[in-house]
Amino acid sequence: MSSPLRWGIASAGKISHDFANALGTLPATDHRMVAVAARKQADADKFATQHAIGTAHEGYEALAKNPDVDVVYIGAVNNAHYELGLLMLDHGKHVLCEKPLCMNEAQSRRLVQRATERGRFLMEAIWSRFFPHYGLVRERIERGALGEIREVDVEFGFVLSDVDRLRLKSLGGGTVLDLGVYTIQVCLWAFGGQAPNKVVASGEMNAEGVDVEVTAELHFPGGGIGRMKTSALRQLRNTAIVKGSKASMTLHDFWCPLKLTDTDGSVREDTLPVARCPFNFQNSCGLRYEAEEVRQCIAAGRLQSASVTHEDSLLIARIQDEIRKQVGVVFPQDAQFAS
């Protein structure tokens, strides 16, 4: 029997809590949380107590240097992903990094390159793709049950205008990075990962200069279109409808779907296990699926997941960059690698 994958958690915020809580629903023979790090010792201590983690570090370097950690989950704010990712990879850790992978394509490319150089696993935490319903959509498409995929219609919006991580430019805010990663990935998923040949986007910005509402179209070779809308100002339908020449399917709460309308109109429902503590976000127990994917990849010696490849992440970042450019959102990091 192989030993469990030993996790370190970087950042003690809400999503890290949910990830640790979900991890706790998986067999202890497969997954073990050994350390957590936060900027403040008190935060790390509190998190460690809540999730029964043996070691609490102040600062992320101590976590990177911890010899008992195999893989690090990065749940910090968007603009910290790049530096934390490099730090962990440079200390020989595998990395599962919350989305967006980085602030832009240039940073993402460098992070992927570093993972490859270090021979370490790296995956952007696009947890949606590991829900059973995504697998079912993929299976239906490949079997030809939908015919030729012609359109994806996806909306993702909540009232989030007072949430700092979304509102503030200093934290890498905006709906394109926070919500758009989901709408983009589901379009790419339905269209088999091919790159769009045209992106058309418009949107509204707040006083900080980050986008609070965006409408975009991804035009694919062959005439397919992904239509998406993101909003931090209002609640939207939050469904993804995949339309083919023969039939369509709908993922309800498409970023973490437990409900799906199949090609024949029947509704399929999934459930998730009960965890030790309450979750902060909807269906967060589903984070267990991506954690198990990470374990299986690392056990098999793979440096990337077939479901969220490095190329997938770079393409998502490229599309995000293009949407931001058309809407007029510029981050300090965009000038970092400009030639």
Side-chain angles (χ1 to χ4, degrees):
M1 193 184 86
S2 58
S3 50
L5 184 64
R6 301 172 302 172
W7 288 88
I9 311 288
S11 174
K14 286 182 177 178
I15 192 63
S16 293
H17 163 84
D18 281 8
F19 182 79
N21 200 25
L23 210 51
T25 67
L26 290 164
T29 48
D30 291 342
H31 299 267
R32 194 153 65 89
M33 285 177 281
V34 295
V36 59
R39 281 180 310 216
K40 297 179 186 150
Q41 186 69 52
D43 292 343
D45 288 339
K46 185 180 167 191
F47 192 97
T49 303
Q50 189 170 15
H51 296 286
I53 298 171
T55 305
H57 296 294
E58 181 170 32
Y60 299 113
E61 197 155 327
L63 178 65
K65 289 177 173 169
N66 185 326
D68 298 327
V69 172
D70 302 315
V71 58
V72 173
Y73 168 80
I74 297 174
V77 288
N78 295 349
N79 60 338
H81 292 181
Y82 177 65
E83 280 79 13
L84 281 180
L86 290 177
L87 175 68
M88 299 307 164
L89 291 168
D90 284 345
H91 285 84
K93 308 302 184 207
H94 301 291
V95 171
L96 172 63
C97 182
E98 239 348 300
K99 67 227 142 320
L101 186 59
C102 294
M103 292 294 292
N104 53 29
E105 189 195 355
Q107 280 191 342
S108 301
R109 201 164 279 288
R110 280 172 160 72
L111 193 63
V112 163
Q113 195 180 338
R114 189 69 59 91
T116 308
E117 286 164 4
R118 296 283 186 256
R120 288 296 172 266
F121 177 86
L122 169 69
M123 186 174 91
E124 182 178 11
I126 300 181
W127 65 313
S128 313
R129 291 189 172 183
F130 303 101
F131 273 76
H133 283 336
Y134 268 73
L136 192 66
V137 171
R138 163 65 66 243
E139 185 264 322
R140 293 276 190 274
I141 291 172
E142 286 176 355
R143 213 180 64 206
L146 282 82
E148 186 192 347
I149 302 304
R150 294 195 169 154
E151 196 179 319
V152 177
D153 192 355
V154 57
E155 292 188 354
F156 200 16
F158 298 101
V159 180
L160 295 164
S161 33
D162 58 344
V163 176
D164 283 352
R165 71 178 162 79
L166 208 128
R167 185 176 66 84
L168 298 176
K169 182 175 271 197
S170 60
L171 296 180
T175 67
V176 171
L177 292 189
D178 202 84
L179 305 175
V181 62
Y182 286 109
T183 58
I184 293 166
Q185 70 80 22
V186 78
C187 290
L188 298 179
W189 178 252
F191 282 103
Q194 63 176 326
N197 49 17
K198 188 169 73 158
V199 176
V200 184
S202 60
E204 188 184 325
M205 293 198 283
N206 66 7
E208 280 269 325
V210 300
D211 55 286
V212 287
E213 198 159 85
V214 168
T215 304
E217 283 184 357
L218 309 183
H219 292 257
F220 292 92
I225 297 185
R227 302 179 201 277
M228 66 180 73
K229 186 175 177 75
T230 58
S231 179
L233 304 177
R234 68 200 84 212
Q235 172 98 25
L236 298 178
R237 276 199 318 263
N238 299 342
T239 55
I241 307 165
V242 181
K243 302 172 184 175
S245 56
K246 287 189 197 168
S248 66
M249 293 178 84
T250 302
L251 289 162
H252 304 270
D253 299 322
F254 79 97
W255 74 103
C256 55
L258 295 183
K259 189 173 149 191
L260 169 148
T261 303
D262 212 338
T263 49
D264 62 359
S266 65
V267 174
R268 292 169 174 263
E269 304 225 22
D270 258 346
T271 55
L272 286 164
V274 175
R276 234 170 59 153
C277 318
F279 287 98
N280 293 303
F281 303 111
Q282 185 175 342
N283 297 347
S284 272
C285 197
L287 292 163
R288 68 203 298 274
Y289 297 131
E290 69 177 5
E292 178 55 19
E293 171 73 4
V294 171
R295 186 188 72 82
Q296 289 182 17
C297 287
I298 291 171
R302 291 195 290 271
L303 300 185
Q304 55 183 315
S305 163
S307 295
V308 185
T309 65
H310 293 165
E311 205 44 61
D312 287 337
S313 291
L314 294 175
L315 178 54
I316 290 166
R318 193 176 319 141
I319 294 168
Q320 287 177 318
D321 285 0
E322 180 56 32
I323 292 173
R324 285 198 295 111
K325 187 175 158 189
Q326 291 186 27
V327 174
V329 178
V330 182
F331 290 117
Q333 290 86 349
D334 294 334
Q336 194 176 357
F337 303 123
S339 47

